[in-house]
Amino acid sequence: MPKQQDRSKFCTLCKSSKFLRFLSFATTEHNETSEFIVDRHLYVGTLGELIQRASGCPSCGIVFQILEEQSVTKELARRQHFVFEEWQRWLTLNKQQYRHDPSCGYYQIGLKFSAETERGGSSLQLNNVFQVTRQNPQILSSQTEKVEFSHAETKSAPITRLRPDVCNLDLVRKWLLICENSHSNNCRPVRKQKLSTIRLVDTQEKCIKNFVQTQDLSIPRYAALSYVWGPTVSSYGLLTNDLDHAHKRGFLDSVRLPATLMDAISLVDSVGERYLWVDRLCILQDDSNDKMRYIPDMGAIYAESYFTIIASAGANSNAGLPGVRPGIRSYRQHSISFGSVCLTSCLDPQFQYHMEDLSTYAWQQRAWTFQEKLLSPRCLIFDSKQIYWECLTASFSEETTFEFLPNGTTPRQISSIFSWEVMQQNHAMPNYHPTFHKRFKSLVENYNRRMLSLDSDVLNAIQGVLAVLTDITGVSFYWGLPDSMFEHHLLWSIASREKREIQGFPTWSWLGYRGCSLVNLRNLRRRAVIQCFMRAQPKYKGKDIKESLQRVCKDFHCFIHLGGYASNLQELNVNDISPSTLKHVVPAFHLIFFADTLEVVWEKGSCDGYTGKLYTLGESSTALSDQPLDRVDSGALQSTEQKRFIGTALYEPARRNSLARALCHMIKIIKPEEDPHYEHNTLLVVFTTEGIAERIGQAHVFADLADTLAWSKKLIVLG
């Protein structure tokens, strides 16, 4: 509990009547007219004056310590042209509403900083620095028998809680019970695909058990763990030779486990659960077949878990779960009393994560953990400062200020895909597919900012998400592209010049590059002028493989509301493909379609060596047509006559090879805009000696020129 401070030790400001009246106002019931009696902004001097008073005044000392701990002083110091000590400070009263409920209002004290120079002004606002109550805060020690809990049904001001070094697990149990008993089935999404078999850690018997779903036996309830391995290589992982002993009681006591795994096992047992899924202990680390068996099930493993433990702090698996054991947490709360008024420091939900250096959180950077969070409907999140609960209906935390965020929102801003509105809508609704594609575009772009230890895992690390999306929405995926509006999605673009070090991926997929961006909604509303097919898998519909092709894009209702296809597209059958090319066509890999094409010359620009200009070929260059890129003399390209500038193109790093010029083909994918000022997007490809096209970039042609160019119809096999 906070100590009653000797008022004689306070500075003149903190003893002043206007300061105490300001605090008293925050803890008093008010009607609408009385709220204007006190100015909600109280000027308290410069930052330099605070630093001078901090050593003698307990109140000012705590404020300055909070500013240091939450990196506010670091932020103010880095703002150029402003003198650090001359930042002006105001205390602010900020009215809050629990879940935006007007019947439950309360105040928090914030800090506002501002500064002015001849070049202009700058400001910084922290809405939540102190919670103000007329009662002492509750200390959440492990011995606390009863935890006072505020939620939407109480209609009362929040309980202020002081977080201990070791978390109070009774609070975690209450979060689980509230979600289980009050949220009905909202937080338990229904899926068609279920797990048939799984290995789980038995946290009571300290061993690993195998479970198979049958008519008479269900897979038991379990928690899952999302964490980062890091560079640690000495930690234990389940091996094939362990299978004869792993199921025996006490097996895990005989192996060396990293701290995060030990903490997770202890936590699950302590909150009254028994089973835990951890990749390192539940998948054989030396068996590629076992990995390929369970990696496609990642969506089901996390989606069907009772809750997911997220170890978001720390650089590796030895970081532990802050709050499960003493000495790991990096931040402590401060509390001080002014007579009957108690101030308890709190973290600002918005400012805290804006200021944190998230590069220190490896979990925030990894692609695998991004998928695990997306797939988890209920999460228990451990960061360095406190624990959060997030489900599809509510969000809670040890520190009550975070319980007043909108439902389902935590500062990490990675929402489960089960919270997407399209997961509950009818597919025929007018906005269904535009909404789906907007969500999926954001998902892919966020995923591409994450890191992988092995680039070859780029599809595996998102395969679980794609499987769940297919299960619920009916949209299938080919190498990361949805079969809804599939042709339009071929027009993805790259923001990064970095190519992934992978083999065996088609060039038409975004998986080969970091920092890719999917097609925008404006292009989705235009009509596709190609229709893609793939060579059928063996025994496709009972026919011989050489006799059948399967269309990639399905007949979705989205064609009513988005672009769909142009009319009179040329029919395609397997006989249109030459035998010499057909033998190189791989099922579910190569795309086959008729398209309007145009031979062009790409010429490197002066900026970055990737962006260049496009020219049509002159009559003297017809001899260069249809020759493979590596056989075309750059000198011959340079000497082409009658070149006509038609647009620009990004020549992707996969094929650039420091060329100054290259002979390419443009492929028309969607109809040009009627607006002549809008660029028309096409694909840029080259042909191999086997007649297979490979994507090398994206071209932007001036829309008013697109219909004037001499396009020619050609069968394309794109690999």
Side-chain angles (χ1 to χ4, degrees):
M1 298 294 182
K3 296 187 300 182
Q4 286 288 338
Q5 298 291 337
D6 183 355
R7 289 194 62 186
S8 64
K9 295 183 179 181
F10 288 137
C11 65
T12 304
L13 172 69
C14 294
K15 290 190 294 186
S16 66
S17 58
K18 66 175 182 179
F19 179 74
L20 295 177
R21 188 163 176 252
F22 182 85
L23 298 182
S24 178
F25 183 85
T27 60
T28 307
E29 295 292 333
H30 306 287
N31 57 39
E32 289 300 316
T33 56
S34 67
E35 290 188 9
F36 296 95
I37 296 176
V38 173
D39 189 350
R40 298 191 202 181
H41 293 75
L42 178 65
Y43 178 70
V44 288
T46 66
L47 186 57
E49 291 170 345
L50 172 69
I51 296 173
Q52 291 177 358
R53 296 196 297 258
S55 59
C57 175
S59 173
C60 293
I62 286 178
V63 171
F64 184 70
Q65 191 171 351
I66 291 171
L67 298 182
E68 290 272 280
E69 291 172 346
Q70 297 196 34
S71 301
V72 178
T73 51
K74 183 189 298 184
E75 167 66 12
L76 295 175
R78 80 172 182 83
R79 298 195 180 188
Q80 298 180 354
H81 313 303
F82 299 99
V83 179
F84 180 74
E85 290 79 7
E86 294 181 2
W87 281 93
Q88 305 291 308
R89 295 185 305 120
W90 282 264
L91 290 178
T92 62
L93 280 177
N94 303 300
K95 190 170 185 178
Q96 309 290 327
Q97 291 175 352
Y98 185 77
R99 309 283 187 217
H100 303 297
D101 183 354
S103 66
C104 178
Y106 67 100
Y107 283 100
Q108 286 182 304
I109 291 182
L111 273 172
K112 180 181 178 181
F113 297 87
S114 67
E116 295 284 342
T117 69
E118 294 179 354
R119 301 190 179 192
S122 181
S123 64
L124 178 66
Q125 179 80 41
L126 283 78
N127 290 322
N128 304 298
V129 178
F130 289 104
Q131 277 190 260
V132 191
T133 59
R134 284 194 177 273
Q135 58 181 321
N136 287 325
Q138 183 182 19
I139 301 175
L140 292 177
S141 69
S142 57
Q143 286 75 37
T144 304
E145 296 182 359
K146 180 183 178 182
V147 177
E148 296 185 68
F149 191 76
S150 297
H151 55 86
E153 297 173 356
T154 63
K155 304 293 185 182
S156 61
I159 302 298
T160 303
R161 294 193 291 253
L162 280 178
R163 291 176 289 99
D165 192 32
V166 177
C167 65
N168 182 285
L169 295 181
D170 189 44
L171 187 64
V172 175
R173 296 186 196 100
K174 284 182 176 289
W175 294 340
L176 287 166
L177 286 174
I178 286 174
C179 186
E180 188 75 14
N181 299 330
S182 303
H183 298 168
S184 185
N185 293 322
N186 296 338
C187 299
R188 305 290 290 175
V190 178
R191 300 183 61 248
K192 300 173 186 176
Q193 301 297 323
K194 299 290 185 180
L195 286 171
S196 59
T197 181
I198 191 173
R199 293 189 192 97
L200 295 173
V201 174
D202 187 328
T203 64
Q204 295 179 8
E205 297 188 3
K206 301 296 190 295
C207 61
I208 301 170
K209 295 181 178 180
N210 190 65
F211 295 92
V212 179
Q213 179 81 32
T214 66
Q215 289 184 346
D216 302 323
L217 184 65
S218 299
I219 291 174
R221 192 164 76 177
Y222 64 92
L225 177 64
S226 174
Y227 69 111
V228 293
W229 287 24
T232 306
V233 294
S234 59
S235 313
Y236 172 76
L238 185 67
L239 303 176
T240 304
N241 292 337
D242 298 323
L243 290 180
D244 292 337
H245 310 284
H247 65 282
K248 297 179 181 179
R249 179 187 287 267
F251 168 75
L252 292 177
D253 292 330
S254 65
V255 298
R256 180 182 178 185
L257 295 179
T260 300
L261 274 62
M262 290 192 295
D263 287 348
I265 292 172
S266 173
L267 172 72
V268 170
D269 185 36
S270 298
V271 297
E273 298 301 316
R274 180 166 183 174
Y275 295 104
L276 171 69
W277 187 89
V278 185
D279 56 358
R280 185 174 282 187
L281 301 180
C282 300
I283 299 176
L284 295 176
Q285 300 303 303
D286 60 346
D287 188 334
S288 58
N289 291 329
D290 201 61
K291 291 180 180 180
M292 288 302 100
R293 176 186 180 186
Y294 284 106
I295 284 175
D297 284 341
M298 285 294 187
I301 288 171
Y302 281 93
E304 294 182 23
S305 67
Y306 184 43
F307 64 94
T308 298
I309 302 165
I310 293 181
S312 69
N316 54 55
S317 57
N318 274 319
L321 297 177
V324 173
R325 291 177 290 110
I328 305 180
R329 283 185 163 171
S330 62
Y331 174 79
R332 67 184 184 90
Q333 284 173 286
H334 306 273
S335 190
I336 189 169
S337 291
F338 295 83
S340 61
V341 178
C342 180
L343 298 186
T344 304
S345 66
C346 55
L347 300 168
D348 187 289
Q350 284 76 37
F351 183 80
Q352 177 195 358
Y353 291 100
H354 168 72
M355 283 303 303
E356 277 186 343
D357 181 8
L358 293 183
S359 63
T360 62
Y361 289 83
W363 186 90
Q364 291 286 335
Q365 298 179 315
R366 307 302 297 177
W368 284 101
T369 55
F370 181 66
Q371 170 175 254
E372 291 157 8
K373 178 62 174 69
L374 286 170
L375 293 170
S376 301
R378 307 202 293 187
C379 299
L380 188 63
I381 305 171
F382 287 78
D383 75 1
S384 62
K385 299 177 177 64
Q386 65 172 322
I387 306 174
Y388 309 91
W389 169 265
E390 180 193 275
C391 59
L392 301 183
T393 306
S395 58
F396 304 121
S397 66
E398 287 182 275
E399 195 174 293
T400 53
T401 182
F402 282 81
E403 291 182 0
F404 301 88
L405 297 171
N407 285 352
T409 303
T410 60
R412 297 298 179 188
Q413 297 298 322
I414 305 174
S415 300
S416 168
I417 60 173
F418 296 108
S419 68
W420 292 8
E421 56 273 37
V422 295
M423 294 303 218
Q424 293 85 34
Q425 290 178 350
N426 186 297
H427 295 188
M429 293 181 65
N431 291 327
Y432 180 84
H433 281 270
T435 303
F436 171 83
H437 290 294
K438 181 179 179 181
R439 282 283 197 173
F440 185 68
K441 173 181 169 68
S442 176
L443 185 153
V444 169
E445 291 167 4
N446 284 322
Y447 175 75
N448 271 318
R449 288 194 285 266
R450 300 291 186 115
M451 296 190 304
L452 287 162
S453 298
L454 299 174
D455 279 343
S456 57
D457 281 337
V458 61
L459 181 57
N460 291 335
I462 200 174
Q463 192 66 55
V465 170
L466 301 183
V468 170
L469 289 175
T470 298
D471 183 40
I472 296 179
T473 68
V475 177
S476 298
F477 296 86
Y478 295 89
W479 298 95
L481 292 184
D483 62 359
S484 167
M485 310 298 289
F486 178 83
E487 287 79 6
H488 297 72
H489 278 91
L490 294 174
L491 290 173
W492 52 265
S493 58
I494 62 171
S496 168
R497 303 292 186 261
E498 194 172 356
K499 186 180 184 298
R500 296 189 186 276
E501 298 298 327
I502 54 177
Q503 300 293 329
F505 284 64
T507 62
W508 48 263
S509 170
W510 57 265
L511 294 169
Y513 290 93
R514 297 184 179 91
C516 290
S517 178
L518 295 192
V519 62
N520 59 47
L521 189 59
R522 179 168 181 170
N523 279 331
L524 285 176
R525 298 192 184 280
R526 295 156 65 187
R527 293 192 176 275
V529 294
I530 65 170
Q531 192 171 42
C532 293
F533 292 80
M534 283 185 172
R535 189 172 182 177
Q537 296 283 4
K539 298 181 180 180
Y540 177 72
K541 294 183 179 179
K543 298 180 180 180
D544 184 84
I545 187 173
K546 294 184 178 180
E547 297 178 357
S548 45
L549 298 173
Q550 55 184 347
R551 206 175 87 190
V552 176
C553 193
K554 296 177 182 176
D555 289 322
F556 285 101
H557 292 285
C558 64
F559 296 143
I560 302 172
H561 313 293
L562 294 176
Y565 292 105
S567 58
N568 302 321
L569 292 180
Q570 187 169 343
E571 294 294 328
L572 176 66
N573 62 69
V574 75
N575 295 325
D576 294 318
I577 310 172
S578 67
S580 60
T581 300
L582 183 62
K583 66 181 181 181
H584 297 288
V585 178
V586 178
F589 186 90
H590 290 96
L591 301 178
I592 309 166
F593 54 91
F594 282 107
D596 291 329
T597 67
L598 181 69
E599 295 168 323
V600 293
V601 174
W602 174 85
E603 191 173 90
K604 182 173 67 174
S606 59
C607 297
D608 55 11
Y610 296 94
T611 305
K613 298 180 179 180
L614 286 178
Y615 299 90
T616 56
L617 291 169
E619 294 181 1
S620 61
S621 303
T622 55
L624 302 176
S625 303
D626 296 321
Q627 294 187 42
L629 179 66
D630 55 3
R631 296 187 181 182
V632 177
D633 179 14
S634 62
L637 290 175
Q638 188 174 7
S639 64
T640 56
E641 300 174 1
Q642 303 176 359
K643 292 192 300 184
R644 180 188 180 192
F645 175 62
I646 59 171
T648 61
L650 184 68
Y651 203 54
E652 290 162 4
R655 300 286 307 193
R656 187 175 65 86
N657 296 328
S658 301
L659 292 174
R661 295 170 187 83
L663 178 67
C664 322
H665 287 73
M666 285 197 311
I667 296 178
K668 190 185 293 185
I669 303 296
I670 55 179
K671 291 191 69 174
E673 282 267 358
E674 295 181 0
D675 184 353
H677 302 291
Y678 189 74
E679 292 180 330
H680 176 48
N681 295 336
T682 65
L683 285 189
L684 205 61
V685 303
V686 295
F687 288 92
T688 66
T689 54
E690 293 83 15
I692 306 295
E694 294 184 355
R695 170 177 169 144
I696 59 169
Q698 189 178 29
H700 306 279
V701 181
F702 301 126
D704 55 346
L705 295 178
D707 290 333
T708 67
L709 300 174
W711 300 91
S712 61
K713 189 72 69 175
K714 188 169 184 174
L715 179 69
I716 303 296
V717 179
L718 183 61

